[in-house]
PDB file of all heavy atoms in Angstrom:
ATOM      1  N   TRP A  20      73.434 106.127 113.938  1.00 95.00           N
ATOM      2  CA  TRP A  20      73.243 106.314 112.500  1.00 95.00           C
ATOM      3  C   TRP A  20      74.163 107.407 111.967  1.00 95.00           C
ATOM      4  O   TRP A  20      74.750 107.263 110.890  1.00 95.00           O
ATOM      5  CB  TRP A  20      71.777 106.668 112.222  1.00 95.00           C
ATOM      6  CG  TRP A  20      71.480 106.877 110.772  1.00 95.00           C
ATOM      7  CD1 TRP A  20      71.251 105.920 109.833  1.00 95.00           C
ATOM      8  CD2 TRP A  20      71.394 108.144 110.090  1.00 95.00           C
ATOM      9  NE1 TRP A  20      71.019 106.504 108.608  1.00 95.00           N
ATOM     10  CE2 TRP A  20      71.098 107.866 108.733  1.00 95.00           C
ATOM     11  CE3 TRP A  20      71.523 109.467 110.503  1.00 95.00           C
ATOM     12  CZ2 TRP A  20      70.941 108.870 107.793  1.00 95.00           C
ATOM     13  CZ3 TRP A  20      71.363 110.470 109.559  1.00 95.00           C
ATOM     14  CH2 TRP A  20      71.076 110.170 108.229  1.00 95.00           C
ATOM     15  N   ILE A  21      74.308 108.491 112.723  1.00 95.00           N
ATOM     16  CA  ILE A  21      75.214 109.572 112.321  1.00 95.00           C
ATOM     17  C   ILE A  21      76.638 109.050 112.211  1.00 95.00           C
ATOM     18  O   ILE A  21      77.365 109.336 111.250  1.00 95.00           O
ATOM     19  CB  ILE A  21      75.136 110.748 113.326  1.00 95.00           C
ATOM     20  CG1 ILE A  21      73.808 111.491 113.218  1.00 95.00           C
ATOM     21  CG2 ILE A  21      76.303 111.711 113.119  1.00 95.00           C
ATOM     22  CD1 ILE A  21      73.630 112.300 111.959  1.00 95.00           C
ATOM     23  N   GLU A  22      77.072 108.272 113.194  1.00 93.00           N
ATOM     24  CA  GLU A  22      78.439 107.742 113.184  1.00 93.00           C
ATOM     25  C   GLU A  22      78.685 106.838 111.986  1.00 93.00           C
ATOM     26  O   GLU A  22      79.751 106.868 111.371  1.00 93.00           O
ATOM     27  CB  GLU A  22      78.702 106.983 114.487  1.00 93.00           C
ATOM     28  CG  GLU A  22      78.771 107.882 115.717  1.00 93.00           C
ATOM     29  CD  GLU A  22      78.868 107.096 117.016  1.00 93.00           C
ATOM     30  OE1 GLU A  22      78.602 105.862 116.979  1.00 93.00           O
ATOM     31  OE2 GLU A  22      79.180 107.690 118.059  1.00 93.00           O
ATOM     32  N   LYS A  23      77.692 106.016 111.629  1.00 93.00           N
ATOM     33  CA  LYS A  23      77.859 105.074 110.518  1.00 93.00           C
ATOM     34  C   LYS A  23      77.838 105.761 109.162  1.00 93.00           C
ATOM     35  O   LYS A  23      78.466 105.287 108.206  1.00 93.00           O
ATOM     36  CB  LYS A  23      76.762 104.005 110.576  1.00 93.00           C
ATOM     37  CG  LYS A  23      76.882 103.050 111.754  1.00 93.00           C
ATOM     38  CD  LYS A  23      75.699 102.093 111.790  1.00 93.00           C
ATOM     39  CE  LYS A  23      75.781 101.175 113.007  1.00 93.00           C
ATOM     40  NZ  LYS A  23      74.590 100.278 113.114  1.00 93.00           N
ATOM     41  N   THR A  24      77.110 106.849 109.049  1.00 92.00           N
ATOM     42  CA  THR A  24      76.951 107.523 107.751  1.00 92.00           C
ATOM     43  C   THR A  24      77.825 108.761 107.608  1.00 92.00           C
ATOM     44  O   THR A  24      77.710 109.476 106.622  1.00 92.00           O
ATOM     45  CB  THR A  24      75.475 107.935 107.543  1.00 92.00           C
ATOM     46  OG1 THR A  24      75.065 108.817 108.601  1.00 92.00           O
ATOM     47  CG2 THR A  24      74.574 106.705 107.535  1.00 92.00           C
ATOM     48  N   LEU A  25      78.699 109.004 108.568  1.00 91.00           N
ATOM     49  CA  LEU A  25      79.519 110.216 108.542  1.00 91.00           C
ATOM     50  C   LEU A  25      80.522 110.158 107.390  1.00 91.00           C
ATOM     51  O   LEU A  25      81.256 109.173 107.251  1.00 91.00           O
ATOM     52  CB  LEU A  25      80.270 110.360 109.871  1.00 91.00           C
ATOM     53  CG  LEU A  25      80.846 111.740 110.189  1.00 91.00           C
ATOM     54  CD1 LEU A  25      79.719 112.732 110.443  1.00 91.00           C
ATOM     55  CD2 LEU A  25      81.761 111.655 111.408  1.00 91.00           C
ATOM     56  N   PRO A  26      80.559 111.169 106.523  1.00 86.00           N
ATOM     57  CA  PRO A  26      81.557 111.177 105.439  1.00 86.00           C
ATOM     58  C   PRO A  26      82.965 111.231 106.021  1.00 86.00           C
ATOM     59  O   PRO A  26      83.176 111.737 107.129  1.00 86.00           O
ATOM     60  CB  PRO A  26      81.229 112.464 104.670  1.00 86.00           C
ATOM     61  CG  PRO A  26      79.844 112.839 105.081  1.00 86.00           C
ATOM     62  CD  PRO A  26      79.683 112.349 106.481  1.00 86.00           C
ATOM     63  N   PRO A  27      83.957 110.734 105.281  1.00 86.00           N
ATOM     64  CA  PRO A  27      85.335 110.775 105.780  1.00 86.00           C
ATOM     65  C   PRO A  27      85.875 112.195 105.785  1.00 86.00           C
ATOM     66  O   PRO A  27      85.506 113.023 104.946  1.00 86.00           O
ATOM     67  CB  PRO A  27      86.093 109.901 104.779  1.00 86.00           C
ATOM     68  CG  PRO A  27      85.287 109.966 103.528  1.00 86.00           C
ATOM     69  CD  PRO A  27      83.854 110.075 103.964  1.00 86.00           C
ATOM     70  N   THR A  28      86.757 112.470 106.720  1.00 82.00           N
ATOM     71  CA  THR A  28      87.430 113.762 106.753  1.00 82.00           C
ATOM     72  C   THR A  28      88.593 113.767 105.771  1.00 82.00           C
ATOM     73  O   THR A  28      88.966 112.722 105.220  1.00 82.00           O
ATOM     74  CB  THR A  28      87.961 114.061 108.161  1.00 82.00           C
ATOM     75  OG1 THR A  28      88.972 113.077 108.485  1.00 82.00           O
ATOM     76  CG2 THR A  28      86.852 113.995 109.199  1.00 82.00           C
ATOM     77  N   ALA A  29      89.177 114.932 105.562  1.00 83.00           N
ATOM     78  CA  ALA A  29      90.316 115.039 104.647  1.00 83.00           C
ATOM     79  C   ALA A  29      91.479 114.158 105.106  1.00 83.00           C
ATOM     80  O   ALA A  29      92.133 113.502 104.293  1.00 83.00           O
ATOM     81  CB  ALA A  29      90.758 116.494 104.535  1.00 83.00           C
ATOM     82  N   SER A  30      91.712 114.107 106.412  1.00 83.00           N
ATOM     83  CA  SER A  30      92.803 113.275 106.942  1.00 83.00           C
ATOM     84  C   SER A  30      92.556 111.806 106.654  1.00 83.00           C
ATOM     85  O   SER A  30      93.479 111.055 106.298  1.00 83.00           O
ATOM     86  CB  SER A  30      92.939 113.501 108.453  1.00 83.00           C
ATOM     87  OG  SER A  30      93.264 114.836 108.743  1.00 83.00           O
ATOM     88  N   GLU A  31      91.306 111.385 106.810  1.00 86.00           N
ATOM     89  CA  GLU A  31      90.972 109.984 106.549  1.00 86.00           C
ATOM     90  C   GLU A  31      91.100 109.658 105.064  1.00 86.00           C
ATOM     91  O   GLU A  31      91.529 108.565 104.687  1.00 86.00           O
ATOM     92  CB  GLU A  31      89.554 109.695 107.043  1.00 86.00           C
ATOM     93  CG  GLU A  31      89.426 109.728 108.555  1.00 86.00           C
ATOM     94  CD  GLU A  31      87.984 109.731 109.047  1.00 86.00           C
ATOM     95  OE1 GLU A  31      87.086 110.103 108.262  1.00 86.00           O
ATOM     96  OE2 GLU A  31      87.763 109.375 110.211  1.00 86.00           O
ATOM     97  N   LEU A  32      90.725 110.610 104.203  1.00 90.00           N
ATOM     98  CA  LEU A  32      90.865 110.391 102.763  1.00 90.00           C
ATOM     99  C   LEU A  32      92.337 110.265 102.368  1.00 90.00           C
ATOM    100  O   LEU A  32      92.703 109.409 101.561  1.00 90.00           O
ATOM    101  CB  LEU A  32      90.219 111.543 101.999  1.00 90.00           C
ATOM    102  CG  LEU A  32      88.693 111.570 101.965  1.00 90.00           C
ATOM    103  CD1 LEU A  32      88.206 112.853 101.291  1.00 90.00           C
ATOM    104  CD2 LEU A  32      88.129 110.364 101.242  1.00 90.00           C
ATOM    105  N   VAL A  33      93.179 111.116 102.942  1.00 90.00           N
ATOM    106  CA  VAL A  33      94.612 111.045 102.645  1.00 90.00           C
ATOM    107  C   VAL A  33      95.177 109.694 103.072  1.00 90.00           C
ATOM    108  O   VAL A  33      95.921 109.044 102.318  1.00 90.00           O
ATOM    109  CB  VAL A  33      95.367 112.195 103.346  1.00 90.00           C
ATOM    110  CG1 VAL A  33      96.879 111.971 103.272  1.00 90.00           C
ATOM    111  CG2 VAL A  33      95.006 113.532 102.716  1.00 90.00           C
ATOM    112  N   GLU A  34      94.825 109.258 104.258  1.00 90.00           N
ATOM    113  CA  GLU A  34      95.306 107.959 104.746  1.00 90.00           C
ATOM    114  C   GLU A  34      94.831 106.832 103.836  1.00 90.00           C
ATOM    115  O   GLU A  34      95.580 105.895 103.532  1.00 90.00           O
ATOM    116  CB  GLU A  34      94.811 107.728 106.180  1.00 90.00           C
ATOM    117  CG  GLU A  34      95.341 106.441 106.796  1.00 90.00           C
ATOM    118  CD  GLU A  34      94.880 106.249 108.227  1.00 90.00           C
ATOM    119  OE1 GLU A  34      94.183 107.147 108.755  1.00 90.00           O
ATOM    120  OE2 GLU A  34      95.207 105.199 108.819  1.00 90.00           O
ATOM    121  N   MET A  35      93.578 106.890 103.385  1.00 93.00           N
ATOM    122  CA  MET A  35      93.036 105.874 102.492  1.00 93.00           C
ATOM    123  C   MET A  35      93.796 105.839 101.173  1.00 93.00           C
ATOM    124  O   MET A  35      94.125 104.764 100.655  1.00 93.00           O
ATOM    125  CB  MET A  35      91.548 106.152 102.257  1.00 93.00           C
ATOM    126  CG  MET A  35      90.853 105.175 101.305  1.00 93.00           C
ATOM    127  SD  MET A  35      90.869 105.741  99.577  1.00 93.00           S
ATOM    128  CE  MET A  35      89.813 107.193  99.664  1.00 93.00           C
ATOM    129  N   LEU A  36      94.105 107.013 100.618  1.00 94.00           N
ATOM    130  CA  LEU A  36      94.821 107.065  99.348  1.00 94.00           C
ATOM    131  C   LEU A  36      96.241 106.511  99.472  1.00 94.00           C
ATOM    132  O   LEU A  36      96.748 105.859  98.556  1.00 94.00           O
ATOM    133  CB  LEU A  36      94.866 108.505  98.838  1.00 94.00           C
ATOM    134  CG  LEU A  36      93.540 109.076  98.323  1.00 94.00           C
ATOM    135  CD1 LEU A  36      93.660 110.576  98.076  1.00 94.00           C
ATOM    136  CD2 LEU A  36      93.094 108.369  97.058  1.00 94.00           C
ATOM    137  N   VAL A  37      96.867 106.762 100.603  1.00 94.00           N
ATOM    138  CA  VAL A  37      98.221 106.248 100.823  1.00 94.00           C
ATOM    139  C   VAL A  37      98.198 104.735 101.019  1.00 94.00           C
ATOM    140  O   VAL A  37      98.992 103.999 100.421  1.00 94.00           O
ATOM    141  CB  VAL A  37      98.870 106.949 102.032  1.00 94.00           C
ATOM    142  CG1 VAL A  37     100.190 106.271 102.390  1.00 94.00           C
ATOM    143  CG2 VAL A  37      99.089 108.423 101.741  1.00 94.00           C
ATOM    144  N   GLN A  38      97.262 104.256 101.849  1.00 94.00           N
ATOM    145  CA  GLN A  38      97.225 102.838 102.191  1.00 94.00           C
ATOM    146  C   GLN A  38      96.618 101.986 101.069  1.00 94.00           C
ATOM    147  O   GLN A  38      97.168 100.943 100.700  1.00 94.00           O
ATOM    148  CB  GLN A  38      96.419 102.628 103.483  1.00 94.00           C
ATOM    149  CG  GLN A  38      97.000 103.314 104.701  1.00 94.00           C
ATOM    150  CD  GLN A  38      98.390 102.806 105.052  1.00 94.00           C
ATOM    151  OE1 GLN A  38      98.700 101.629 104.880  1.00 94.00           O
ATOM    152  NE2 GLN A  38      99.242 103.700 105.539  1.00 94.00           N
ATOM    153  N   LYS A  39      95.489 102.401 100.530  1.00 94.00           N
ATOM    154  CA  LYS A  39      94.763 101.578  99.553  1.00 94.00           C
ATOM    155  C   LYS A  39      95.297 101.729  98.143  1.00 94.00           C
ATOM    156  O   LYS A  39      95.343 100.766  97.367  1.00 94.00           O
ATOM    157  CB  LYS A  39      93.277 101.932  99.582  1.00 94.00           C
ATOM    158  CG  LYS A  39      92.425 101.100  98.633  1.00 94.00           C
ATOM    159  CD  LYS A  39      90.953 101.492  98.715  1.00 94.00           C
ATOM    160  CE  LYS A  39      90.105 100.697  97.724  1.00 94.00           C
ATOM    161  NZ  LYS A  39      88.671 101.091  97.768  1.00 94.00           N
ATOM    162  N   TYR A  40      95.726 102.941  97.778  1.00 94.00           N
ATOM    163  CA  TYR A  40      96.137 103.199  96.402  1.00 94.00           C
ATOM    164  C   TYR A  40      97.641 103.363  96.234  1.00 94.00           C
ATOM    165  O   TYR A  40      98.114 103.470  95.094  1.00 94.00           O
ATOM    166  CB  TYR A  40      95.428 104.448  95.882  1.00 94.00           C
ATOM    167  CG  TYR A  40      93.939 104.275  95.722  1.00 94.00           C
ATOM    168  CD1 TYR A  40      93.067 104.626  96.741  1.00 94.00           C
ATOM    169  CD2 TYR A  40      93.393 103.757  94.549  1.00 94.00           C
ATOM    170  CE1 TYR A  40      91.690 104.483  96.602  1.00 94.00           C
ATOM    171  CE2 TYR A  40      92.018 103.605  94.395  1.00 94.00           C
ATOM    172  CZ  TYR A  40      91.174 103.965  95.422  1.00 94.00           C
ATOM    173  OH  TYR A  40      89.812 103.820  95.278  1.00 94.00           O
ATOM    174  N   GLY A  41      98.383 103.431  97.339  1.00 94.00           N
ATOM    175  CA  GLY A  41      99.831 103.521  97.237  1.00 94.00           C
ATOM    176  C   GLY A  41     100.358 104.865  96.809  1.00 94.00           C
ATOM    177  O   GLY A  41     101.506 104.984  96.361  1.00 94.00           O
ATOM    178  N   LEU A  42      99.552 105.926  96.938  1.00 94.00           N
ATOM    179  CA  LEU A  42     100.027 107.259  96.569  1.00 94.00           C
ATOM    180  C   LEU A  42     101.007 107.784  97.614  1.00 94.00           C
ATOM    181  O   LEU A  42     100.978 107.387  98.777  1.00 94.00           O
ATOM    182  CB  LEU A  42      98.855 108.229  96.449  1.00 94.00           C
ATOM    183  CG  LEU A  42      97.843 108.009  95.314  1.00 94.00           C
ATOM    184  CD1 LEU A  42      96.868 109.170  95.282  1.00 94.00           C
ATOM    185  CD2 LEU A  42      98.522 107.861  93.976  1.00 94.00           C
ATOM    186  N   SER A  43     101.856 108.704  97.196  1.00 92.00           N
ATOM    187  CA  SER A  43     102.696 109.401  98.162  1.00 92.00           C
ATOM    188  C   SER A  43     101.823 110.339  98.991  1.00 92.00           C
ATOM    189  O   SER A  43     100.716 110.702  98.568  1.00 92.00           O
ATOM    190  CB  SER A  43     103.775 110.216  97.442  1.00 92.00           C
ATOM    191  OG  SER A  43     103.184 111.289  96.716  1.00 92.00           O
ATOM    192  N   PHE A  44     102.315 110.707 100.155  1.00 90.00           N
ATOM    193  CA  PHE A  44     101.545 111.604 101.024  1.00 90.00           C
ATOM    194  C   PHE A  44     101.267 112.927 100.317  1.00 90.00           C
ATOM    195  O   PHE A  44     100.153 113.464 100.386  1.00 90.00           O
ATOM    196  CB  PHE A  44     102.313 111.843 102.326  1.00 90.00           C
ATOM    197  CG  PHE A  44     101.644 112.818 103.260  1.00 90.00           C
ATOM    198  CD1 PHE A  44     100.592 112.426 104.052  1.00 90.00           C
ATOM    199  CD2 PHE A  44     102.084 114.137 103.324  1.00 90.00           C
ATOM    200  CE1 PHE A  44      99.971 113.325 104.906  1.00 90.00           C
ATOM    201  CE2 PHE A  44     101.472 115.046 104.171  1.00 90.00           C
ATOM    202  CZ  PHE A  44     100.413 114.621 104.966  1.00 90.00           C
ATOM    203  N   THR A  45     102.256 113.454  99.603  1.00 89.00           N
ATOM    204  CA  THR A  45     102.092 114.733  98.912  1.00 89.00           C
ATOM    205  C   THR A  45     101.022 114.647  97.832  1.00 89.00           C
ATOM    206  O   THR A  45     100.152 115.515  97.730  1.00 89.00           O
ATOM    207  CB  THR A  45     103.426 115.180  98.284  1.00 89.00           C
ATOM    208  OG1 THR A  45     104.407 115.296  99.322  1.00 89.00           O
ATOM    209  CG2 THR A  45     103.272 116.519  97.582  1.00 89.00           C
ATOM    210  N   ASP A  46     101.080 113.587  97.010  1.00 92.00           N
ATOM    211  CA  ASP A  46     100.079 113.436  95.956  1.00 92.00           C
ATOM    212  C   ASP A  46      98.689 113.222  96.546  1.00 92.00           C
ATOM    213  O   ASP A  46      97.691 113.729  96.000  1.00 92.00           O
ATOM    214  CB  ASP A  46     100.439 112.265  95.044  1.00 92.00           C
ATOM    215  CG  ASP A  46     101.521 112.626  94.030  1.00 92.00           C
ATOM    216  OD1 ASP A  46     101.901 113.810  93.976  1.00 92.00           O
ATOM    217  OD2 ASP A  46     101.983 111.729  93.303  1.00 92.00           O
ATOM    218  N   ALA A  47      98.608 112.487  97.645  1.00 92.00           N
ATOM    219  CA  ALA A  47      97.306 112.255  98.284  1.00 92.00           C
ATOM    220  C   ALA A  47      96.720 113.563  98.810  1.00 92.00           C
ATOM    221  O   ALA A  47      95.524 113.837  98.628  1.00 92.00           O
ATOM    222  CB  ALA A  47      97.452 111.237  99.418  1.00 92.00           C
ATOM    223  N   MET A  48      97.541 114.378  99.458  1.00 88.00           N
ATOM    224  CA  MET A  48      97.076 115.667  99.954  1.00 88.00           C
ATOM    225  C   MET A  48      96.588 116.549  98.810  1.00 88.00           C
ATOM    226  O   MET A  48      95.544 117.201  98.902  1.00 88.00           O
ATOM    227  CB  MET A  48      98.216 116.372 100.692  1.00 88.00           C
ATOM    228  CG  MET A  48      98.487 115.821 102.081  1.00 88.00           C
ATOM    229  SD  MET A  48      97.278 116.386 103.292  1.00 88.00           S
ATOM    230  CE  MET A  48      97.680 118.120 103.383  1.00 88.00           C
ATOM    231  N   THR A  49      97.350 116.569  97.717  1.00 90.00           N
ATOM    232  CA  THR A  49      96.974 117.392  96.568  1.00 90.00           C
ATOM    233  C   THR A  49      95.658 116.916  95.970  1.00 90.00           C
ATOM    234  O   THR A  49      94.769 117.723  95.670  1.00 90.00           O
ATOM    235  CB  THR A  49      98.083 117.338  95.501  1.00 90.00           C
ATOM    236  OG1 THR A  49      99.313 117.757  96.079  1.00 90.00           O
ATOM    237  CG2 THR A  49      97.743 118.242  94.329  1.00 90.00           C
ATOM    238  N   LEU A  50      95.509 115.616  95.818  1.00 91.00           N
ATOM    239  CA  LEU A  50      94.304 115.062  95.198  1.00 91.00           C
ATOM    240  C   LEU A  50      93.059 115.375  96.018  1.00 91.00           C
ATOM    241  O   LEU A  50      92.005 115.704  95.468  1.00 91.00           O
ATOM    242  CB  LEU A  50      94.470 113.550  95.037  1.00 91.00           C
ATOM    243  CG  LEU A  50      93.498 112.820  94.107  1.00 91.00           C
ATOM    244  CD1 LEU A  50      93.528 113.420  92.715  1.00 91.00           C
ATOM    245  CD2 LEU A  50      93.836 111.334  94.052  1.00 91.00           C
ATOM    246  N   VAL A  51      93.177 115.304  97.333  1.00 88.00           N
ATOM    247  CA  VAL A  51      92.032 115.583  98.207  1.00 88.00           C
ATOM    248  C   VAL A  51      91.633 117.053  98.139  1.00 88.00           C
ATOM    249  O   VAL A  51      90.446 117.391  98.212  1.00 88.00           O
ATOM    250  CB  VAL A  51      92.365 115.172  99.664  1.00 88.00           C
ATOM    251  CG1 VAL A  51      91.334 115.714 100.633  1.00 88.00           C
ATOM    252  CG2 VAL A  51      92.443 113.653  99.773  1.00 88.00           C
ATOM    253  N   SER A  52      92.603 117.928  97.975  1.00 83.00           N
ATOM    254  CA  SER A  52      92.332 119.368  98.047  1.00 83.00           C
ATOM    255  C   SER A  52      91.813 119.965  96.744  1.00 83.00           C
ATOM    256  O   SER A  52      91.288 121.076  96.741  1.00 83.00           O
ATOM    257  CB  SER A  52      93.602 120.117  98.460  1.00 83.00           C
ATOM    258  OG  SER A  52      94.601 120.004  97.456  1.00 83.00           O
ATOM    259  N   LEU A  53      91.928 119.246  95.637  1.00 86.00           N
ATOM    260  CA  LEU A  53      91.601 119.830  94.341  1.00 86.00           C
ATOM    261  C   LEU A  53      90.112 119.752  94.011  1.00 86.00           C
ATOM    262  O   LEU A  53      89.475 118.721  94.237  1.00 86.00           O
ATOM    263  CB  LEU A  53      92.392 119.122  93.224  1.00 86.00           C
ATOM    264  CG  LEU A  53      93.887 119.418  93.137  1.00 86.00           C
ATOM    265  CD1 LEU A  53      94.534 118.524  92.085  1.00 86.00           C
ATOM    266  CD2 LEU A  53      94.132 120.881  92.788  1.00 86.00           C
ATOM    267  N   ASP A  54      89.575 120.828  93.485  1.00 83.00           N
ATOM    268  CA  ASP A  54      88.264 120.858  92.821  1.00 83.00           C
ATOM    269  C   ASP A  54      87.145 120.290  93.679  1.00 83.00           C
ATOM    270  O   ASP A  54      86.284 119.550  93.189  1.00 83.00           O
ATOM    271  CB  ASP A  54      88.327 120.096  91.486  1.00 83.00           C
ATOM    272  CG  ASP A  54      89.468 120.568  90.604  1.00 83.00           C
ATOM    273  OD1 ASP A  54      89.534 121.785  90.355  1.00 83.00           O
ATOM    274  OD2 ASP A  54      90.301 119.744  90.195  1.00 83.00           O
ATOM    275  N   ASP A  55      87.145 120.635  94.986  1.00 74.00           N
ATOM    276  CA  ASP A  55      86.075 120.217  95.895  1.00 74.00           C
ATOM    277  C   ASP A  55      85.837 118.712  95.866  1.00 74.00           C
ATOM    278  O   ASP A  55      84.707 118.232  95.969  1.00 74.00           O
ATOM    279  CB  ASP A  55      84.764 120.938  95.556  1.00 74.00           C
ATOM    280  CG  ASP A  55      84.866 122.433  95.802  1.00 74.00           C
ATOM    281  OD1 ASP A  55      85.613 122.825  96.712  1.00 74.00           O
ATOM    282  OD2 ASP A  55      84.216 123.200  95.074  1.00 74.00           O
ATOM    283  N   GLY A  56      86.917 117.939  95.711  1.00 80.00           N
ATOM    284  CA  GLY A  56      86.802 116.479  95.743  1.00 80.00           C
ATOM    285  C   GLY A  56      86.480 115.837  94.408  1.00 80.00           C
ATOM    286  O   GLY A  56      86.518 114.606  94.287  1.00 80.00           O
TER     287      GLY A  56
END
């Protein structure tokens, strides 16, 4: 249950933004780091 409900890490969020939304790596990193998500 813990494994299935575990929130994504910052690295996983960056990868998702690059792959799913087509953002650049720099913009994805910036977006993840701003304003506590």
Side-chain angles (χ1 to χ4, degrees):
W20 180 81
I21 289 290
E22 291 173 346
K23 291 176 183 177
T24 59
L25 197 68
T28 64
S30 298
E31 291 168 339
L32 286 174
V33 169
E34 184 178 358
M35 179 268 293
L36 288 170
V37 171
Q38 298 298 325
K39 182 180 178 181
Y40 293 93
L42 293 187
S43 67
F44 177 79
T45 301
D46 281 354
M48 284 283 292
T49 303
L50 195 56
V51 168
S52 66
L53 287 174
D54 308 306
D55 294 329

